[in-house]
Amino acid sequence: MTTAVSWKDTYQQARLEEILPDGIVRCHLSPRNCTLKEGQHGFCGVRANRSGRLVTLNYGKSVHATEETIETEAVNHFSPGERILSMGNVGCMLNCSYCHNWKTSQAKFVSDKDVYYYTPEDVVNIALRHNIRMISWTYNDPVVWHEFVRDASRLAKEKGLMNLYKSAFYITPEAIDELVPSMDIFSISLKAIDAEYYRKVTKGTLEPVLEATKHAYKSGRHIEISNLMITDMTDNEDTSRKVADFVLKNLDPSVPVHFVRFHPDYRMRDTVRTPIPRLIRAREIAMEMGLEHVYVGNVYDTPYSNTVCNGCGAMLVTRYGLNAKTVGLNDAGQCKKCGRDAHVKMRGVPPVRDAFKDIPRDGMQVKQFDWHGDVRSLHVQVKNTHSETVKVYIRRRLNDGNHTDWLLHNLVPDESYRTIVAKNFANEIGCEIALPNGLPNNLHEVFDRAHFPTVAVEEVGVARNDISPLPIYGRNVLQQ
Ligand code: SF4
Protein backbone atom coordinates (compact mmCIF):
# COMPACT_ATOMS: atom_id res chain seq x y z
CA MET A 1 0.00 0.00 0.00
CA THR A 2 1.23 3.51 -0.82
CA THR A 3 -0.36 6.83 -0.07
CA ALA A 4 -0.74 9.94 -2.22
CA VAL A 5 -1.11 13.49 -0.88
CA SER A 6 -4.83 13.46 -1.58
CA TRP A 7 -7.01 10.77 -3.08
CA LYS A 8 -8.10 13.16 -5.85
CA ASP A 9 -4.52 13.77 -7.03
CA THR A 10 -4.11 10.73 -9.25
CA TYR A 11 -6.23 9.23 -11.99
CA GLN A 12 -6.13 6.78 -14.84
CA GLN A 13 -7.93 6.04 -18.08
CA ALA A 14 -11.52 4.89 -17.58
CA ARG A 15 -13.44 2.27 -19.54
CA LEU A 16 -16.82 2.77 -21.24
CA GLU A 17 -15.76 6.08 -22.71
CA GLU A 18 -17.20 7.77 -25.79
CA ILE A 19 -15.08 10.51 -27.32
CA LEU A 20 -17.15 13.34 -28.80
CA PRO A 21 -16.05 16.37 -30.87
CA ASP A 22 -14.47 19.45 -29.25
CA GLY A 23 -12.73 17.57 -26.44
CA ILE A 24 -15.97 16.34 -24.88
CA VAL A 25 -16.38 12.81 -23.50
CA ARG A 26 -19.41 10.78 -22.49
CA CYS A 27 -19.43 8.09 -19.77
CA HIS A 28 -21.37 4.88 -20.38
CA LEU A 29 -20.91 3.36 -16.92
CA SER A 30 -24.17 4.45 -15.31
CA PRO A 31 -27.44 5.46 -16.98
CA ARG A 32 -26.68 9.10 -16.28
CA ASN A 33 -24.34 9.02 -19.31
CA CYS A 34 -22.67 12.23 -18.14
CA THR A 35 -21.31 14.37 -20.98
CA LEU A 36 -18.20 16.13 -19.72
CA LYS A 37 -16.16 19.07 -20.98
CA GLU A 38 -12.48 19.46 -20.12
CA GLY A 39 -12.06 19.59 -16.33
CA GLN A 40 -15.64 18.61 -15.50
CA HIS A 41 -16.54 15.78 -13.10
CA GLY A 42 -19.50 13.45 -13.44
CA PHE A 43 -22.39 13.35 -10.95
CA CYS A 44 -20.47 10.66 -9.05
CA GLY A 45 -17.52 12.98 -8.44
CA VAL A 46 -14.99 10.25 -9.23
CA ARG A 47 -14.90 10.31 -13.04
CA ALA A 48 -13.80 13.33 -15.03
CA ASN A 49 -12.65 14.72 -18.36
CA ARG A 50 -8.87 15.22 -18.40
CA SER A 51 -7.40 16.37 -21.73
CA GLY A 52 -10.38 15.09 -23.66
CA ARG A 53 -10.33 11.60 -22.14
CA LEU A 54 -12.56 9.98 -19.52
CA VAL A 55 -10.58 9.17 -16.37
CA THR A 56 -11.32 7.45 -13.09
CA LEU A 57 -10.11 9.15 -9.90
CA ASN A 58 -10.71 6.29 -7.49
CA TYR A 59 -8.85 3.28 -8.98
CA GLY A 60 -7.57 1.23 -6.02
CA LYS A 61 -8.80 3.85 -3.53
CA SER A 62 -10.95 2.22 -0.93
CA VAL A 63 -12.23 2.35 2.59
CA HIS A 64 -10.46 -0.17 4.80
CA ALA A 65 -10.85 -3.78 3.64
CA THR A 66 -13.06 -5.51 6.21
CA GLU A 67 -13.79 -9.14 7.02
CA GLU A 68 -17.55 -9.74 7.40
CA THR A 69 -20.03 -12.54 6.66
CA ILE A 70 -22.12 -13.05 3.53
CA GLU A 71 -25.26 -12.29 5.54
CA THR A 72 -24.02 -8.68 5.78
CA GLU A 73 -24.76 -8.38 2.08
CA ALA A 74 -28.40 -9.49 2.03
CA VAL A 75 -27.41 -12.85 0.58
CA ASN A 76 -29.13 -15.82 2.26
CA HIS A 77 -29.07 -18.45 -0.49
CA PHE A 78 -25.38 -18.78 -1.29
CA SER A 79 -23.00 -20.57 1.10
CA PRO A 80 -24.58 -19.48 4.41
CA GLY A 81 -22.06 -18.22 6.96
CA GLU A 82 -19.34 -17.63 4.36
CA ARG A 83 -16.72 -15.14 5.52
CA ILE A 84 -16.19 -12.35 2.99
CA LEU A 85 -13.66 -9.58 2.44
CA SER A 86 -15.69 -6.39 1.95
CA MET A 87 -14.23 -3.68 -0.24
CA GLY A 88 -15.86 -0.25 -0.56
CA ASN A 89 -14.58 2.79 -2.42
CA VAL A 90 -15.49 6.46 -2.77
CA GLY A 91 -18.19 8.17 -4.83
CA CYS A 92 -21.63 7.08 -6.04
CA MET A 93 -23.85 7.50 -9.08
CA LEU A 94 -26.81 8.16 -6.72
CA ASN A 95 -27.28 10.50 -3.76
CA CYS A 96 -29.95 8.87 -1.58
CA SER A 97 -31.30 11.19 1.11
CA TYR A 98 -30.87 8.48 3.77
CA CYS A 99 -27.49 7.12 2.61
CA HIS A 100 -25.84 5.00 5.33
CA ASN A 101 -22.43 5.58 3.78
CA TRP A 102 -22.67 9.27 2.93
CA LYS A 103 -19.19 10.05 4.28
CA THR A 104 -17.68 7.92 1.52
CA SER A 105 -20.40 7.79 -1.15
CA GLN A 106 -20.51 11.54 -1.65
CA ALA A 107 -17.10 12.56 -2.99
CA LYS A 108 -17.21 16.03 -1.45
CA PHE A 109 -17.31 14.55 2.07
CA VAL A 110 -14.50 12.03 1.58
CA SER A 111 -11.61 12.58 3.94
CA ASP A 112 -8.09 11.41 3.05
CA LYS A 113 -7.84 9.69 6.41
CA ASP A 114 -10.62 7.29 5.36
CA VAL A 115 -8.99 6.34 2.05
CA TYR A 116 -6.69 3.30 1.79
CA TYR A 117 -4.75 2.30 -1.30
CA TYR A 118 -4.88 -1.23 -2.70
CA THR A 119 -3.76 -3.02 -5.82
CA PRO A 120 -5.78 -5.98 -7.15
CA GLU A 121 -2.94 -8.21 -5.84
CA ASP A 122 -3.25 -6.63 -2.35
CA VAL A 123 -6.94 -7.48 -2.18
CA VAL A 124 -6.47 -11.06 -3.32
CA ASN A 125 -3.54 -11.60 -0.98
CA ILE A 126 -5.47 -10.34 2.06
CA ALA A 127 -8.28 -12.77 1.29
CA LEU A 128 -5.89 -15.70 0.76
CA ARG A 129 -3.88 -14.91 3.89
CA HIS A 130 -7.01 -14.95 6.06
CA ASN A 131 -8.53 -18.00 4.40
CA ILE A 132 -11.45 -15.93 3.04
CA ARG A 133 -12.97 -17.41 -0.12
CA MET A 134 -15.12 -14.50 -1.30
CA ILE A 135 -14.59 -10.82 -2.02
CA SER A 136 -17.59 -8.52 -1.71
CA TRP A 137 -17.66 -5.31 -3.76
CA THR A 138 -19.94 -3.23 -1.59
CA TYR A 139 -20.67 -0.26 0.72
CA ASN A 140 -20.96 3.12 -1.08
CA ASP A 141 -21.45 1.35 -4.40
CA PRO A 142 -19.13 -0.70 -6.60
CA VAL A 143 -20.51 0.70 -9.88
CA VAL A 144 -18.30 3.80 -9.74
CA TRP A 145 -15.24 1.63 -9.00
CA HIS A 146 -15.75 -0.29 -12.21
CA GLU A 147 -12.20 -0.59 -13.54
CA PHE A 148 -10.75 -1.72 -10.23
CA VAL A 149 -13.60 -4.13 -9.51
CA ARG A 150 -13.23 -5.62 -12.98
CA ASP A 151 -9.46 -6.07 -12.68
CA ALA A 152 -9.40 -7.30 -9.08
CA SER A 153 -12.40 -9.62 -9.39
CA ARG A 154 -10.86 -11.26 -12.47
CA LEU A 155 -7.60 -11.80 -10.61
CA ALA A 156 -9.54 -13.15 -7.62
CA LYS A 157 -11.36 -15.59 -9.89
CA GLU A 158 -8.05 -16.78 -11.35
CA LYS A 159 -6.87 -17.48 -7.80
CA GLY A 160 -9.94 -19.55 -7.01
CA LEU A 161 -11.88 -16.90 -5.05
CA MET A 162 -15.55 -15.98 -5.46
CA ASN A 163 -16.95 -12.46 -6.02
CA LEU A 164 -20.11 -10.79 -4.77
CA TYR A 165 -21.45 -7.51 -6.17
CA LYS A 166 -23.71 -5.58 -3.74
CA SER A 167 -25.12 -2.56 -5.46
CA ALA A 168 -27.99 -0.17 -6.07
CA PHE A 169 -27.42 -1.32 -9.65
CA TYR A 170 -27.82 2.01 -11.42
CA ILE A 171 -25.60 0.62 -14.14
CA THR A 172 -25.65 0.14 -17.92
CA PRO A 173 -25.99 -3.29 -19.57
CA GLU A 174 -22.54 -2.94 -21.19
CA ALA A 175 -20.95 -2.42 -17.75
CA ILE A 176 -22.79 -5.50 -16.40
CA ASP A 177 -21.43 -7.53 -19.31
CA GLU A 178 -17.89 -6.63 -18.21
CA LEU A 179 -18.60 -7.92 -14.70
CA VAL A 180 -20.44 -11.14 -15.44
CA PRO A 181 -17.33 -13.24 -16.22
CA SER A 182 -15.93 -12.76 -12.71
CA MET A 183 -19.02 -12.30 -10.52
CA ASP A 184 -20.74 -15.18 -8.74
CA ILE A 185 -23.46 -13.14 -7.03
CA PHE A 186 -25.37 -9.93 -7.67
CA SER A 187 -27.11 -8.64 -4.52
CA ILE A 188 -29.28 -5.84 -5.84
CA SER A 189 -30.63 -3.09 -3.64
CA LEU A 190 -33.89 -1.97 -5.17
CA LYS A 191 -34.43 1.35 -3.37
CA ALA A 192 -38.15 1.47 -4.15
CA ILE A 193 -40.47 0.52 -6.96
CA ASP A 194 -41.86 3.95 -7.64
CA ALA A 195 -40.46 6.26 -10.32
CA GLU A 196 -41.28 9.46 -8.45
CA TYR A 197 -39.57 8.19 -5.28
CA TYR A 198 -36.45 7.27 -7.23
CA ARG A 199 -36.23 10.72 -8.74
CA LYS A 200 -36.80 12.58 -5.48
CA VAL A 201 -35.02 10.40 -2.90
CA THR A 202 -32.21 8.68 -4.81
CA LYS A 203 -31.68 11.32 -7.56
CA GLY A 204 -31.74 8.46 -10.05
CA THR A 205 -34.40 6.76 -12.15
CA LEU A 206 -36.20 3.48 -11.58
CA GLU A 207 -36.47 1.99 -15.05
CA PRO A 208 -32.72 1.47 -15.68
CA VAL A 209 -32.42 -0.36 -12.35
CA LEU A 210 -35.21 -2.74 -13.30
CA GLU A 211 -33.69 -3.28 -16.74
CA ALA A 212 -30.24 -3.89 -15.24
CA THR A 213 -31.73 -6.40 -12.79
CA LYS A 214 -33.35 -8.34 -15.64
CA HIS A 215 -30.08 -8.21 -17.58
CA ALA A 216 -28.08 -9.61 -14.65
CA TYR A 217 -30.71 -12.31 -14.07
CA LYS A 218 -30.41 -13.45 -17.68
CA SER A 219 -26.65 -13.90 -17.16
CA GLY A 220 -27.46 -16.89 -14.94
CA ARG A 221 -25.55 -15.55 -11.93
CA HIS A 222 -27.00 -15.88 -8.44
CA ILE A 223 -29.35 -12.94 -7.73
CA GLU A 224 -30.94 -11.69 -4.51
CA ILE A 225 -33.09 -8.57 -4.22
CA SER A 226 -33.36 -6.32 -1.21
CA ASN A 227 -35.77 -3.46 -0.71
CA LEU A 228 -35.12 -0.87 1.99
CA MET A 229 -38.48 0.08 3.50
CA ILE A 230 -38.49 3.70 4.67
CA THR A 231 -40.87 4.51 7.51
CA ASP A 232 -44.13 6.03 6.25
CA MET A 233 -42.74 6.31 2.73
CA THR A 234 -42.24 2.85 1.29
CA ASP A 235 -43.02 0.48 4.18
CA ASN A 236 -46.50 -0.22 2.85
CA GLU A 237 -48.36 -3.14 1.32
CA ASP A 238 -48.38 -1.56 -2.13
CA THR A 239 -44.56 -1.57 -2.25
CA SER A 240 -44.45 -5.20 -1.23
CA ARG A 241 -46.97 -6.16 -3.93
CA LYS A 242 -45.10 -4.26 -6.63
CA VAL A 243 -41.72 -5.75 -5.67
CA ALA A 244 -43.18 -9.27 -5.64
CA ASP A 245 -44.94 -8.64 -8.94
CA PHE A 246 -41.70 -7.48 -10.57
CA VAL A 247 -39.80 -10.55 -9.37
CA LEU A 248 -42.56 -12.97 -10.40
CA LYS A 249 -42.99 -11.47 -13.87
CA ASN A 250 -39.34 -10.80 -14.73
CA LEU A 251 -37.18 -13.10 -12.61
CA ASP A 252 -38.59 -16.20 -10.93
CA PRO A 253 -40.28 -17.13 -7.66
CA SER A 254 -37.14 -18.75 -6.23
CA VAL A 255 -35.17 -15.47 -6.25
CA PRO A 256 -34.75 -14.48 -2.58
CA VAL A 257 -36.20 -11.11 -1.58
CA HIS A 258 -35.30 -9.14 1.58
CA PHE A 259 -37.46 -6.38 3.09
CA VAL A 260 -34.93 -4.35 4.99
CA ARG A 261 -35.34 -2.12 8.03
CA PHE A 262 -34.26 1.51 7.67
CA HIS A 263 -32.28 3.56 10.20
CA PRO A 264 -32.33 7.37 10.09
CA ASP A 265 -29.17 8.81 8.57
CA TYR A 266 -27.67 11.61 6.43
CA ARG A 267 -30.43 14.04 5.37
CA MET A 268 -33.25 11.84 6.61
CA ARG A 269 -32.92 11.80 10.37
CA ASP A 270 -36.34 13.26 11.17
CA THR A 271 -38.06 9.90 11.27
CA VAL A 272 -37.93 6.62 13.17
CA ARG A 273 -36.82 3.11 12.28
CA THR A 274 -39.22 1.04 10.21
CA PRO A 275 -41.76 -0.64 12.52
CA ILE A 276 -40.99 -4.36 12.43
CA PRO A 277 -44.66 -5.44 11.98
CA ARG A 278 -44.72 -3.59 8.65
CA LEU A 279 -41.71 -5.56 7.43
CA ILE A 280 -43.34 -8.80 8.54
CA ARG A 281 -46.54 -7.83 6.72
CA ALA A 282 -44.54 -7.04 3.55
CA ARG A 283 -43.00 -10.49 3.78
CA GLU A 284 -46.40 -12.16 4.25
CA ILE A 285 -47.83 -10.43 1.19
CA ALA A 286 -44.89 -11.36 -1.04
CA MET A 287 -45.12 -15.00 0.04
CA GLU A 288 -48.88 -15.07 -0.48
CA MET A 289 -48.25 -13.82 -4.01
CA GLY A 290 -45.95 -16.76 -4.69
CA LEU A 291 -42.38 -15.78 -3.81
CA GLU A 292 -40.66 -18.74 -2.19
CA HIS A 293 -37.94 -17.11 -0.07
CA VAL A 294 -38.69 -13.78 1.58
CA TYR A 295 -36.78 -12.35 4.54
CA VAL A 296 -36.87 -9.48 6.96
CA GLY A 297 -33.49 -7.72 7.09
CA ASN A 298 -31.65 -5.49 9.58
CA VAL A 299 -33.69 -7.02 12.41
CA TYR A 300 -32.01 -9.06 15.13
CA ASP A 301 -33.62 -11.99 16.80
CA THR A 302 -36.43 -12.60 14.32
CA PRO A 303 -37.59 -15.98 12.96
CA TYR A 304 -38.13 -14.26 9.61
CA SER A 305 -34.43 -14.30 8.79
CA ASN A 306 -34.23 -18.10 9.07
CA THR A 307 -34.55 -20.36 6.03
CA VAL A 308 -37.33 -22.90 6.45
CA CYS A 309 -38.26 -25.69 4.03
CA ASN A 310 -41.30 -24.73 1.97
CA GLY A 311 -42.18 -28.43 1.72
CA CYS A 312 -42.03 -29.97 5.19
CA GLY A 313 -41.36 -26.90 7.36
CA ALA A 314 -37.98 -28.15 8.62
CA MET A 315 -35.45 -25.57 9.77
CA LEU A 316 -32.68 -25.32 7.14
CA VAL A 317 -30.56 -22.31 8.13
CA THR A 318 -30.79 -20.38 11.40
CA ARG A 319 -29.68 -16.77 11.46
CA TYR A 320 -29.08 -14.37 14.30
CA GLY A 321 -28.09 -10.90 13.15
CA LEU A 322 -25.24 -11.34 10.71
CA ASN A 323 -24.42 -14.92 11.69
CA ALA A 324 -25.80 -18.09 10.11
CA LYS A 325 -25.73 -21.79 10.87
CA THR A 326 -26.72 -24.46 8.33
CA VAL A 327 -28.73 -27.09 10.17
CA GLY A 328 -30.96 -28.88 7.66
CA LEU A 329 -29.47 -28.64 4.15
CA ASN A 330 -27.56 -31.23 2.17
CA ASP A 331 -24.60 -30.40 -0.08
CA ALA A 332 -26.95 -29.78 -3.01
CA GLY A 333 -28.92 -27.12 -1.11
CA GLN A 334 -31.93 -29.37 -0.57
CA CYS A 335 -33.88 -30.08 2.61
CA LYS A 336 -32.25 -33.07 4.33
CA LYS A 337 -35.64 -34.21 5.59
CA CYS A 338 -37.89 -34.12 2.52
CA GLY A 339 -35.44 -33.45 -0.33
CA ARG A 340 -37.16 -30.29 -1.59
CA ASP A 341 -34.86 -27.83 -3.36
CA ALA A 342 -34.32 -24.79 -1.14
CA HIS A 343 -32.42 -22.96 -3.91
CA VAL A 344 -29.34 -22.51 -1.72
CA LYS A 345 -26.05 -22.76 -3.60
CA MET A 346 -23.64 -24.61 -1.36
CA ARG A 347 -19.85 -24.30 -1.66
CA GLY A 348 -18.70 -26.82 0.93
CA VAL A 349 -18.21 -25.97 4.59
CA PRO A 350 -16.94 -22.37 4.89
CA PRO A 351 -13.51 -22.22 6.58
CA VAL A 352 -13.56 -21.10 10.21
CA ARG A 353 -10.90 -19.42 12.31
CA ASP A 354 -8.80 -21.34 14.85
CA ALA A 355 -10.45 -21.24 18.29
CA PHE A 356 -8.84 -21.41 21.76
CA LYS A 357 -10.23 -21.80 25.28
CA ASP A 358 -7.30 -19.84 26.75
CA ILE A 359 -4.63 -17.55 25.35
CA PRO A 360 -1.24 -16.32 26.58
CA ARG A 361 -1.72 -13.06 28.51
CA ASP A 362 1.87 -11.81 28.83
CA GLY A 363 2.36 -8.56 26.93
CA MET A 364 -1.30 -8.47 25.90
CA GLN A 365 -4.01 -5.87 26.49
CA VAL A 366 -7.72 -6.73 26.50
CA LYS A 367 -10.37 -4.27 25.30
CA GLN A 368 -14.05 -4.76 26.12
CA PHE A 369 -17.10 -3.49 24.26
CA ASP A 370 -20.77 -3.77 25.32
CA TRP A 371 -23.63 -4.07 22.83
CA HIS A 372 -26.09 -1.23 23.40
CA GLY A 373 -29.26 0.01 21.72
CA ASP A 374 -29.10 -0.75 18.01
CA VAL A 375 -25.31 -1.16 18.09
CA ARG A 376 -24.90 -4.92 17.97
CA SER A 377 -21.90 -5.10 15.69
CA LEU A 378 -18.44 -3.68 15.79
CA HIS A 379 -15.55 -3.24 13.37
CA VAL A 380 -12.23 -3.96 15.07
CA GLN A 381 -9.19 -2.44 13.33
CA VAL A 382 -5.61 -3.31 14.33
CA LYS A 383 -2.31 -2.37 12.71
CA ASN A 384 0.71 -4.63 13.21
CA THR A 385 3.66 -2.27 13.66
CA HIS A 386 5.94 -5.11 14.81
CA SER A 387 8.50 -6.82 12.61
CA GLU A 388 7.04 -10.27 13.22
CA THR A 389 3.55 -11.78 12.82
CA VAL A 390 1.29 -11.02 15.81
CA LYS A 391 -1.79 -12.76 17.14
CA VAL A 392 -5.06 -10.91 17.83
CA TYR A 393 -7.93 -12.78 19.53
CA ILE A 394 -11.63 -11.96 19.76
CA ARG A 395 -14.34 -13.60 21.89
CA ARG A 396 -17.90 -12.88 23.02
CA ARG A 397 -19.11 -12.29 26.58
CA LEU A 398 -22.36 -13.85 27.77
CA ASN A 399 -24.66 -12.56 30.51
CA ASP A 400 -24.07 -15.60 32.72
CA GLY A 401 -20.35 -14.78 33.09
CA ASN A 402 -19.25 -17.31 30.47
CA HIS A 403 -17.40 -16.62 27.23
CA THR A 404 -17.11 -18.17 23.82
CA ASP A 405 -13.70 -19.41 22.66
CA TRP A 406 -11.14 -16.91 21.45
CA LEU A 407 -10.92 -16.72 17.63
CA LEU A 408 -7.45 -16.11 16.24
CA HIS A 409 -6.43 -13.50 13.66
CA ASN A 410 -2.78 -13.56 12.53
CA LEU A 411 -1.46 -10.22 11.29
CA VAL A 412 1.76 -10.13 9.25
CA PRO A 413 4.26 -7.26 9.72
CA ASP A 414 2.87 -3.88 8.58
CA GLU A 415 -0.61 -5.32 8.05
CA SER A 416 -3.67 -3.29 9.00
CA TYR A 417 -6.68 -5.58 9.49
CA ARG A 418 -10.33 -4.81 10.10
CA THR A 419 -12.98 -7.37 11.01
CA ILE A 420 -16.58 -7.37 12.13
CA VAL A 421 -17.85 -8.83 15.40
CA ALA A 422 -21.64 -9.17 15.30
CA LYS A 423 -23.80 -10.22 18.24
CA ASN A 424 -24.42 -13.92 17.79
CA PHE A 425 -26.47 -15.01 20.81
CA ALA A 426 -29.52 -13.56 22.55
CA ASN A 427 -27.64 -13.69 25.89
CA GLU A 428 -24.47 -12.07 24.53
CA ILE A 429 -23.61 -8.75 26.17
CA GLY A 430 -20.48 -7.73 24.28
CA CYS A 431 -17.07 -8.80 23.08
CA GLU A 432 -13.41 -8.75 24.10
CA ILE A 433 -10.38 -8.15 21.92
CA ALA A 434 -6.94 -9.31 23.08
CA LEU A 435 -3.94 -7.85 21.27
CA PRO A 436 -0.26 -7.19 21.94
CA ASN A 437 0.47 -4.05 23.94
CA GLY A 438 1.30 -0.98 21.90
CA LEU A 439 -0.37 -1.89 18.60
CA PRO A 440 -2.48 0.92 17.11
CA ASN A 441 -6.12 -0.15 17.17
CA ASN A 442 -9.63 1.20 17.26
CA LEU A 443 -13.25 0.12 17.42
CA HIS A 444 -16.04 1.33 15.12
CA GLU A 445 -19.71 0.92 16.03
CA VAL A 446 -21.86 -0.63 13.29
CA PHE A 447 -25.58 0.09 12.87
CA ASP A 448 -27.02 -2.50 10.49
CA ARG A 449 -25.44 -4.15 7.52
CA ALA A 450 -24.03 -2.26 4.52
CA HIS A 451 -22.90 0.50 6.86
CA PHE A 452 -19.22 1.36 6.89
CA PRO A 453 -18.45 3.45 9.98
CA THR A 454 -15.75 6.05 9.44
CA VAL A 455 -15.25 7.30 12.98
CA ALA A 456 -13.85 5.30 15.88
CA VAL A 457 -15.15 4.99 19.41
CA GLU A 458 -11.74 6.28 20.54
CA GLU A 459 -12.35 9.48 18.50
CA VAL A 460 -15.91 10.35 19.47
CA GLY A 461 -17.02 7.97 22.22
CA VAL A 462 -19.94 5.56 21.97
CA ALA A 463 -23.09 6.53 20.06
CA ARG A 464 -25.28 8.95 21.96
CA ASN A 465 -28.49 7.65 20.48
CA ASP A 466 -29.73 4.30 19.34
CA ILE A 467 -30.99 5.10 15.87
CA SER A 468 -28.46 7.25 13.97
CA PRO A 469 -24.78 6.37 13.69
CA LEU A 470 -21.92 8.80 13.97
CA PRO A 471 -20.87 11.01 12.31
CA ILE A 472 -24.17 12.84 12.14
CA TYR A 473 -24.64 14.87 8.97
CA GLY A 474 -24.61 18.60 9.59
CA ARG A 475 -22.38 18.63 12.64
CA ASN A 476 -19.41 20.71 11.53
CA VAL A 477 -17.17 19.21 14.14
CA LEU A 478 -17.42 15.81 12.48
CA GLN A 479 -17.22 16.92 8.85
CA GLN A 480 -13.93 17.38 7.10
S1 SF4 B 1 -20.44 6.75 -13.50
FE1 SF4 B 1 -22.44 7.68 -13.90
S2 SF4 B 1 -22.40 9.55 -12.64
FE2 SF4 B 1 -20.26 8.90 -12.89
S3 SF4 B 1 -19.50 9.98 -14.69
FE3 SF4 B 1 -20.24 7.97 -15.38
S4 SF4 B 1 -22.35 8.35 -16.04
FE4 SF4 B 1 -21.75 10.10 -14.75
Side-chain angles (χ1 to χ4, degrees), residues 27-34 36 42-44 47 54 93 144:
C27 175
H28 287 271
L29 176 52
S30 87
R32 291 190 185 283
N33 292 130
C34 296
L36 307 172
F43 179 94
C44 58
R47 293 167 91 77
L54 181 68
M93 61 293 162
V144 291

Side-chain angles (χ1 to χ4, degrees), residues 51 94 201 245 321 335 368 426 472 477:
S51 306
L94 298 175
V201 178
D245 192 56
C335 174
Q368 282 197 346
I472 288 176
V477 66

Side-chain angles (χ1 to χ4, degrees), residues 74-77 223-229 236-237 239-245 247-248 252-260 276 278-299 302-310 316-317 319 342-344 449:
V75 174
N76 282 3
H77 282 247
I223 305 269
E224 302 207 16
I225 306 287
S226 55
N227 173 228
L228 185 71
M229 299 200 111
N236 50 52
E237 298 189 1
T239 299
S240 173
R241 282 197 188 91
K242 284 182 178 163
V243 170
D245 192 56
V247 174
L248 288 166
D252 75 70
S254 72
V255 171
V257 171
H258 307 246
F259 291 110
V260 178
I276 293 171
R278 296 186 192 175
L279 298 167
I280 294 172
R281 180 66 189 136
R283 176 182 178 274
E284 272 171 9
I285 288 170
M287 293 203 74
E288 280 164 17
M289 287 176 67
L291 293 190
E292 293 181 41
H293 311 290
V294 189
Y295 298 94
V296 165
N298 279 350
V299 180
T302 168
Y304 305 112
S305 61
N306 297 328
T307 302
V308 174
C309 178
N310 285 337
L316 305 179
V317 183
R319 294 189 182 81
H343 309 108
V344 180
R449 60 192 181 198

Side-chain angles (χ1 to χ4, degrees), residues 300-301 319-323 325 371 376 395-399 402-405 407 421-430:
Y300 263 76
D301 221 355
R319 294 189 182 81
Y320 188 87
L322 304 175
N323 304 282
K325 201 189 275 181
W371 307 133
R376 283 168 287 203
R395 72 178 179 183
R396 294 133 192 294
R397 295 181 290 121
L398 309 178
N399 65 5
N402 286 318
H403 301 90
T404 61
D405 288 349
L407 295 183
V421 190
K423 183 176 177 180
N424 195 17
F425 307 102
N427 67 335
E428 184 181 320
I429 55 174

Side-chain angles (χ1 to χ4, degrees), residues 4 24 55 64 85 191 226 234 245 270 301 327 356 359 365 378 403-404:
I24 295 170
V55 300
H64 202 294
L85 185 68
K191 302 295 180 189
S226 55
T234 55
D245 192 56
D270 55 349
D301 221 355
V327 293
F356 301 88
I359 56 169
Q365 58 169 310
L378 189 70
H403 301 90
T404 61

